[in-house]
Amino acid sequence: MGTDSRAAKALLARARTLHLQTGNLLNWGRLRKKCPSTHSEELHDCIQKTLNEWSSQINPDLVREFPDVLECTVSHAVEKINPDEREEMKVSAKLFIVESNSSSSTRSAVDMACSVLGVAQLDSVIIASPPIEDGVNLSLEHLQPYWEELENLVQSKKIVAIDLTAFAKQFDIQLLTHNDPKELLSEASFQEALQESIPDIQAHEWVPLWLLRYSVIVKSRGIIKSKGYILQAKRRGS
């Protein structure tokens, strides 16, 4: 194991929370896989390469501090929206809740996306069906906490428009969504990417809470200016 991997392993062994953000994938250059066949393949590749880039640039001071929260990112790809151009951009996000019983993840994800992109609010947020136990039918009881949190975010002007895909289907509301798999990120797939990037780590200790995929589109031209992923994971028992 190289020095970079040892430092990353030491930090992850002590931290409680991991924030991973890819930055603008259009800025990745050589890092980006040319043609991922699926969204899941693209995401796996993004997680792995973000972890690799982060571990290769760890500041020695960070190892001495052992922070509770690790900010893992591809620094050269980070790109905030120019305030002078904000009105010309549409900022959209799709949120995947990975860990059940975490409706508060909705606010955490939206706040982090706003911070990463340097904006006060997101123009639209679609939330995928939250996870439920096998054999349990999805009902309003499962959806209500997430919907209420989204409504609160609209009232506080963090989001302009919202949708909950399962909620909309139940009431026959047509949505314009990507053909994503039901589970874009699972606990197992995240742990696999973590293990591949940082060998000998106790990857099973880490659980992803949520994943947010965002895009920034130039309204007048329909051109994607920025897109990327943000996720939050926690260490079990923390």
Side-chain angles (χ1 to χ4, degrees):
M1 188 189 303
T3 304
D4 297 339
S5 294
R6 285 199 295 270
K9 179 183 176 183
L11 288 169
L12 285 163
R14 299 278 291 272
R16 295 183 177 184
T17 304
L18 173 67
H19 293 157
L20 184 147
Q21 57 149 317
T22 62
N24 183 1
L25 295 179
L26 303 183
N27 292 341
W28 268 35
R30 64 178 176 79
L31 287 178
R32 194 168 181 210
K33 198 170 187 176
K34 295 298 182 185
C35 297
S37 58
T38 64
H39 285 304
S40 296
E41 182 183 323
E42 178 185 63
L43 175 61
H44 185 93
D45 190 55
C46 286
I47 292 173
Q48 194 174 23
K49 288 181 177 175
T50 301
L51 286 165
N52 288 341
E53 281 293 297
W54 167 74
S55 63
S56 70
Q57 299 172 20
I58 293 174
N59 188 317
D61 291 337
L62 195 65
V63 180
R64 288 191 285 270
E65 294 169 3
F66 286 113
D68 281 344
V69 180
L70 294 179
E71 302 290 344
C72 174
T73 187
V74 179
S75 56
H76 74 264
V78 174
E79 181 181 327
K80 294 186 183 295
I81 295 174
N82 185 331
D84 295 334
E85 299 177 350
R86 178 62 182 94
E87 292 301 313
E88 303 169 21
M89 306 294 165
K90 180 178 181 181
V91 185
S92 303
K94 186 165 186 178
L95 177 61
F96 300 84
I97 304 295
V98 185
E99 176 72 8
S100 59
N101 301 321
S102 57
S103 59
S104 60
S105 293
T106 307
R107 177 172 290 276
S108 174
V110 170
D111 284 343
M112 196 175 301
C114 288
S115 175
V116 165
L117 295 171
V119 297
Q121 63 179 183
L122 306 181
D123 294 311
S124 69
V125 173
I126 294 174
I127 183 168
S129 307
I132 56 174
E133 296 178 8
D134 291 338
V136 177
N137 293 324
L138 190 64
S139 67
L140 284 175
E141 182 181 351
H142 298 104
L143 303 175
Q144 196 68 28
Y146 300 94
W147 187 256
E148 288 177 352
E149 190 61 50
L150 285 170
E151 287 183 321
N152 290 336
L153 287 165
V154 171
Q155 291 173 7
S156 61
K157 301 188 184 304
K158 296 291 286 188
I159 302 176
V160 177
I162 56 177
D163 239 318
L164 189 63
T165 56
F167 182 90
K169 286 176 183 176
Q170 183 162 344
F171 290 93
D172 197 26
I173 301 172
Q174 186 176 2
L175 296 177
L176 297 175
T177 61
H178 297 287
N179 294 320
D180 290 317
K182 183 177 180 183
E183 192 177 65
L184 185 59
L185 177 69
S186 67
E187 182 177 315
S189 63
F190 174 73
Q191 291 170 353
E192 180 183 352
L194 193 59
Q195 191 77 62
E196 290 172 354
S197 303
I198 307 172
D200 299 329
I201 192 178
Q202 299 296 316
H204 65 275
E205 293 183 349
W206 286 92
V207 181
L209 299 182
W210 53 261
L211 167 75
L212 182 140
R213 185 178 65 208
Y214 66 84
S215 64
V216 180
I217 298 175
V218 181
K219 292 178 184 177
S220 61
R221 302 169 65 191
I223 296 174
I224 297 177
K225 183 176 177 63
S226 175
K227 68 175 186 175
Y229 295 97
I230 306 169
L231 72 79
Q232 184 181 68
K234 69 173 182 179
R235 194 153 56 86
R236 294 184 195 277
S238 60

